[in-house]
Amino acid sequence: MKKILFTLLMLTVSLQIFAQGASSSLEESIYASGKIYVVVACAAIILIGLILFLFSIDRRLKKLEKYSDPKN
């Protein structure tokens, strides 16, 4: 039952992606003014920051697990 619901959910998501054929005036103005590069750069910086934060948390957690391991 879960597989069927998951499959239907994925199909509806993919149908919405194909339904976005017409572009809006906001999209055209962002592309025309060149601000899309600023948006992409900000999104990339945020994504890189989150990835680095997760890696630092992982390293700290591994260090804590190593110190609290009762076998050592």
Side-chain angles (χ1 to χ4, degrees), residues 15-67:
L15 288 176
Q16 287 180 355
I17 291 172
F18 290 122
Q20 296 178 1
S23 62
S24 65
S25 62
L26 178 63
E27 181 182 348
E28 291 172 4
S29 66
I30 289 176
Y31 277 117
S33 65
K35 292 181 182 178
I36 191 69
Y37 300 114
V38 175
V39 173
V40 170
C42 289
I45 289 171
I46 291 171
L47 184 63
I48 290 169
L50 285 173
I51 290 171
L52 290 175
F53 178 68
L54 288 175
F55 278 121
S56 69
I57 287 177
D58 186 49
R59 279 189 287 149
R60 291 182 206 165
L61 185 61
K62 284 181 183 179
K63 189 186 299 185
L64 285 172
E65 286 175 348
K66 188 174 100 176
Y67 288 133

